[in-house]
Amino acid sequence: MGDDPINPHIPQYITERPWYIDDGGRASLSHQRNHKVRKESSFVRCVKKGAKEDAGVGTRFKKGACPNCGATSHSVKDCIERPRKKGAKWAGRKLAPDEYIPVNEDLSFDAKRDRWADEDGQTYQEQLELDRMFTSDGDHDHLRDDQLRDEGDSGANGSPLSTSLAGPGFSSCANLRIREDTAKYLVNLDVDSAFFDPKSRSMRQDPTFGLDEARKAKIEFRGDNVLRESGDAPRTKQLQVFAWQNDLHAVANPTATVMDFEKDRAQKKNRPDDAALAAKYKPINHVSDDE
């Protein structure tokens, strides 16, 4: 690059070489380049890791070895083994094997971040054979998601299974439906019927409103609001309202809240109503109608 013309817009403090470099009085940008020869990543390069297989385990402590585990490949401050009550230097038994020391190679930026460095192709072939064996035995862990949908696999609760991107295995998705079930938006095709929210896949109102009784008998779905008001949902709402009214916290102290709620319900149940009190005590109206 020394003979190439230099852009005149480049500042002078960049084109000028330092005083300790002999450039022969010529302006150049070669001093801005890194001329060090760096090694590139290669699949031939194989860095051994772990304990040495051929070295074996010593029977006597060697001078200069780690006082904690007895390995000669590191010092006591670099030892990753749990500190022993009596180290190998003094006990003389259970000596750890030596490890491979990685060589600090002067690699380039891309070589340091090579994902496939030290990759063994034979290991990948063994994994493929293992996957084929599992698939042929009926294990669906390695099938694609679309194959699972075609086969109609479902979980224990009847909901279809979909592959989770967050981790291995499968996760049940409650918003998905079984193929045999009719979609919510197909229950009533009237444009004025219940609104279907495509983002949350919810239909809160009753889609059978306005249909004849014969069609209503064939449809089990009555809207998401019916599901929210069934089971223990109303009792949970009453418990939360009771906690607000009595300065309690249903989440921080649920046991005390439930006990007070049940006690209050029992008192209200045993309390006589106004009609029973009026029939028992027969109140007299002391104010005449003329007044």
Side-chain angles (χ1 to χ4, degrees):
M1 190 173 180
D3 298 334
D4 296 338
I6 300 176
N7 193 330
H9 300 287
I10 297 178
Q12 185 179 5
Y13 69 90
I14 295 179
T15 58
E16 285 187 352
R17 291 194 178 189
W19 58 270
Y20 50 83
I21 297 179
D22 185 13
D23 57 351
R26 295 183 297 105
S28 174
L29 293 178
S30 60
H31 60 279
Q32 298 286 350
R33 299 290 181 264
N34 186 7
H35 298 284
K36 293 182 179 180
V37 179
R38 306 179 70 89
K39 297 180 181 179
E40 296 295 335
S41 177
S42 175
F43 287 102
V44 181
R45 180 174 63 92
C46 182
V47 179
K48 293 185 178 181
K49 302 177 183 179
K52 295 181 179 180
E53 300 86 358
D54 53 351
V57 181
T59 57
R60 296 182 60 183
F61 182 80
K62 298 179 182 179
K63 185 178 180 180
C66 176
N68 184 44
C69 65
T72 59
S73 55
H74 62 268
S75 59
V76 63
K77 66 178 182 179
D78 298 328
C79 185
I80 61 174
E81 188 176 331
R82 180 181 60 85
R84 301 182 183 181
K85 185 177 181 180
K86 192 174 183 181
K89 181 178 180 180
W90 299 274
R93 57 189 180 88
K94 294 184 179 180
L95 303 180
D98 298 340
E99 304 98 352
Y100 287 105
I101 304 299
V103 181
N104 187 13
E105 300 179 355
D106 189 14
L107 300 176
S108 63
F109 181 87
D110 295 329
K112 288 180 181 179
R113 293 155 181 82
D114 188 5
R115 295 179 57 191
W116 302 103
D118 308 326
E119 177 67 20
D120 187 7
Q122 185 63 27
T123 306
Y124 182 67
Q125 293 296 331
E126 294 175 358
Q127 183 64 32
L128 289 179
E129 294 296 333
L130 192 63
D131 294 348
R132 294 192 189 97
M133 182 177 62
F134 282 154
T135 306
S136 61
D137 292 342
D139 189 357
H140 299 288
D141 290 346
H142 302 281
L143 293 179
R144 295 183 304 174
D145 195 16
D146 53 354
Q147 293 178 351
L148 287 176
R149 292 196 185 96
D150 294 339
E151 294 178 4
D153 291 342
S154 60
N157 55 356
S159 61
L161 298 179
S162 60
T163 304
S164 175
L165 299 178
F170 299 100
S171 62
S172 177
C173 185
N175 287 334
L176 298 180
R177 63 178 177 85
I178 306 176
R179 283 192 169 188
E180 288 76 12
D181 295 343
T182 305
K184 300 176 183 178
Y185 50 84
L186 296 179
V187 173
N188 190 355
L189 299 180
D190 188 4
V191 294
D192 297 330
S193 62
F195 173 73
F196 175 75
D197 187 8
K199 185 175 182 180
S200 60
R201 298 179 182 178
S202 60
M203 181 178 287
R204 298 172 180 84
Q205 299 176 355
D206 186 6
T208 61
F209 181 77
L211 299 179
D212 52 355
E213 297 298 332
R215 292 189 59 186
K216 283 186 178 181
K218 299 179 181 179
I219 301 173
E220 298 181 358
F221 181 70
R222 290 294 185 271
D224 294 333
N225 288 338
V226 177
L227 299 177
R228 293 190 180 96
E229 296 298 332
S230 61
D232 292 338
R235 183 178 179 275
T236 305
K237 293 181 180 179
Q238 296 175 4
L239 180 64
Q240 185 63 55
V241 173
F242 175 79
W244 289 338
Q245 294 175 351
N246 295 271
D247 197 14
L248 298 174
H249 204 294
V251 179
N253 197 358
T255 305
T257 306
V258 172
M259 292 179 63
D260 294 346
F261 177 68
E262 295 295 341
K263 187 184 298 184
D264 183 74
R265 291 185 61 181
Q267 292 177 357
K268 288 182 178 180
K269 185 177 181 180
N270 298 329
R271 186 183 307 164
D273 54 356
D274 296 340
L277 292 175
K280 181 178 180 180
Y281 295 102
K282 298 179 181 180
I284 301 174
N285 188 6
H286 297 281
V287 180
S288 61
D289 296 337
D290 298 338
E291 297 179 358

